[in-house]
Amino acid sequence: MLAEPVAGIADVRLPLDAARRAVHEADESVRTLLAALPEPDRRSDTERTTAEQAKDRVRALRCAFLDTHVDAVYDELTSARTRYLRIDELAAAAAVRFPGLVPSRPDLDAERARPQSGKEGHEIDQGIFFSRVLGSPASGAHLLDAMLRPTARALELLPEYLETGRADLGPVRIRHDGGAARITMCGADCLNAEDARQADAMETAVDLALLDPRTQVGLLRGGVMSHPRYSGRRVFSAGINLKALHHGGIPLVDFLLKRELGYLHKILRGVLIDDPAQWRSRTVERPWVAAVDGFAIGGGTQLLLLFDHVLAAADSYFSLPAAQEGIIPGASNFRLGRSTGARLSRGLVLDSRRIRATEPEARLLADEVVEPEELDDAVERSLLRFRGTAVTANRRMLNLAEEPVDAFRRYMAEFALQQALRIHDEDVIGKVGRFCARGTVPS
């Protein structure tokens, strides 16, 4: 007879050490069960049901454990909040200190070797963990601060960037020119579709822009493409890399959460610096301008919601095809209504509506729409207008009023779990598989 979890809800609400053992024992019991079954994509309907019921039981225990002990767990992992661990570091530490609470490194390595349809779904347990950490006002606020700090890669590259004014980060490039940090997305063969590597490069570039005292304003624009359909043309962003998702290469922690809590949040809030001389503000911020060529699909449109000024070529368009893809479009559901109103935000997210830059509704997403040949000049005019300390101070106050940090934290707590569930749902797996089979690109 297959093993069943040995712990119950009462066991995981015991004092921390006893509850920790109960979670570990329950996890080991489920592992024994799963080891007796075929690989996930080879299971019969009955075997799949057996596996899912067992995983559901132990996940309920993890939720109850964290509902009781989340702040104690977080304090142990961060030495009473004296250490600032990024989400990948925090998840790795939790796997060691609290076995069975989140997947181990071997678990994740095994998952990454499988297509999305063949995974066990260990990232759902990471989603549970981060939903509870972010759901705690104390632990969640500390984690947000950890994610606003500069990355190690940015700090390493900063001296050379300050000297040369340039950095080639692979899929992203940055150069300083006349007070402006100009970031260019260079995913030439994939229409700037985002994956973990591109998101890491973007965060490094945003850090460099914010840490450079010469920077007065930041610019984000797509580079020139080599993709056959758009060869020689600039493109802003095709959103998430669905081919990577299909092949199991879009991780929850290292992309879906890190992207939102990392470079996107830094564009809005700035980078957090430990410097007593920075008593005027905990963060270094700059105004940001975005220029849209071609299209801003999915994550591309998500990005625009954070910018202080958005320009768009008249032949471009915007879309958030969440319903077509089956996933949650990041924090768009949190921010979009402020820009477009409730009805249009539902049309974009739920009905995958496409808005062309020449439509009246496009003015809710872009501040200026100009002819493609005029976009370069319009960008330069905007960069001049959005410089100055008064702009930075006022954008800070606008952002605090429009998006309180605590409201963002609560949204991300729910997003962490719901997105983890979505990326392992059969609906998403089927939709992404059909997309990859068609091999379609935006038109």
Side-chain angles (χ1 to χ4, degrees), residues 241-411:
N241 191 320
L242 294 177
K243 290 183 179 178
L245 178 58
H246 174 67
H247 293 293
I250 296 293
L252 177 71
V253 169
D254 287 335
F255 177 72
L256 294 166
L257 291 180
K258 186 186 289 186
R259 177 179 182 270
E260 298 292 335
L261 300 175
Y263 87 86
L264 293 185
H265 200 210
K266 286 175 176 176
I267 288 173
L268 185 72
R269 303 285 179 201
V271 65
L272 194 152
I273 303 293
D274 273 332
D275 183 356
Q278 289 287 127
W279 58 268
R280 294 173 178 83
S281 172
R282 299 170 66 240
T283 56
V284 176
E285 303 177 36
R286 301 285 185 264
W288 288 90
V289 173
V292 178
D293 301 90
F295 44 77
I297 299 173
T301 294
Q302 294 170 34
L303 264 168
L304 301 181
L305 303 176
L306 298 164
F307 280 73
D308 302 294
H309 194 74
V310 176
L311 304 107
D315 59 353
S316 63
Y317 67 86
F318 315 93
S319 69
L320 272 169
Q324 291 180 3
E325 298 166 354
I327 59 177
I328 298 169
S332 297
N333 297 343
F334 177 57
R335 297 178 175 129
L336 187 61
R338 294 200 303 267
S339 298
T340 66
R343 294 265 55 86
L344 185 54
S345 67
R346 280 166 170 74
L348 282 162
V349 174
L350 304 181
D351 198 30
S352 300
R353 178 177 171 183
R354 178 183 293 188
I355 297 179
R356 300 210 168 264
T358 51
E359 295 181 51
E361 292 89 344
R363 294 308 299 268
L364 300 172
L365 295 168
D367 301 283
E368 294 183 59
V369 177
V370 301
E371 292 303 315
E373 62 272 15
E374 299 173 5
L375 189 55
D376 289 350
D377 290 341
V379 165
E380 297 307 318
R381 291 193 297 270
S382 295
L383 293 178
L384 285 173
R385 292 201 311 274
F386 278 81
R387 298 180 185 186
T389 55
V391 173
T392 301
N394 279 287
R395 82 177 293 272
R396 181 197 303 270
M397 302 312 295
L398 286 167
N399 287 337
L400 284 172
E402 294 171 357
E403 186 175 311
V405 178
D406 209 47
F408 173 69
R409 175 188 61 78
R410 293 194 301 270
Y411 176 90

Side-chain angles (χ1 to χ4, degrees), residues 39-203:
E39 289 293 301
D41 54 353
R42 297 181 179 178
R43 290 170 187 164
S44 67
D45 289 344
T46 299
E47 290 168 335
R48 189 174 295 112
T49 298
T50 297
E52 292 305 314
Q53 288 177 346
K55 286 187 282 189
D56 280 349
R57 287 194 295 271
V58 77
R59 284 170 180 157
L61 297 179
R62 291 187 182 106
C63 289
F65 170 78
L66 287 166
D67 288 342
T68 304
H69 299 291
V70 65
D71 285 333
V73 169
Y74 190 83
D75 281 356
E76 181 172 328
L77 297 175
T78 60
S79 302
R81 295 175 220 159
T82 60
R83 301 169 60 217
Y84 288 88
L85 301 181
R86 288 174 62 83
I87 54 173
D88 53 334
E89 297 168 330
L90 189 68
V96 173
R97 299 294 292 271
F98 294 87
L101 183 59
V102 294
S104 66
R105 174 55 56 189
D107 291 332
L108 295 173
D109 289 343
E111 287 280 81
R112 289 190 178 118
R114 299 165 172 164
Q116 199 67 17
S117 60
K119 293 181 185 291
E120 198 69 76
H122 290 307
E123 287 178 314
I124 294 172
D125 303 313
Q126 291 180 319
I128 291 170
F129 175 70
F130 283 108
S131 74
R132 268 48 184 190
V133 171
L134 289 164
S136 162
S139 300
H142 190 271
L143 180 57
L144 290 185
D145 280 356
M147 293 300 294
L148 286 180
R149 289 165 177 263
T151 64
R153 185 185 183 194
L155 293 174
E156 179 183 351
L157 293 174
L158 183 60
E160 182 179 353
Y161 175 71
L162 293 177
E163 181 180 349
T164 66
R166 296 176 179 272
D168 186 341
L169 308 170
V172 175
R173 296 184 188 128
I174 179 173
R175 67 181 177 91
H176 178 269
D177 181 16
R182 301 165 186 264
I183 298 175
T184 304
M185 297 178 285
C186 303
D189 60 340
C190 64
L191 306 176
N192 289 328
E194 280 197 275
D195 57 15
R197 179 170 174 262
Q198 200 257 14
D200 282 345
M202 279 292 297
E203 184 165 9

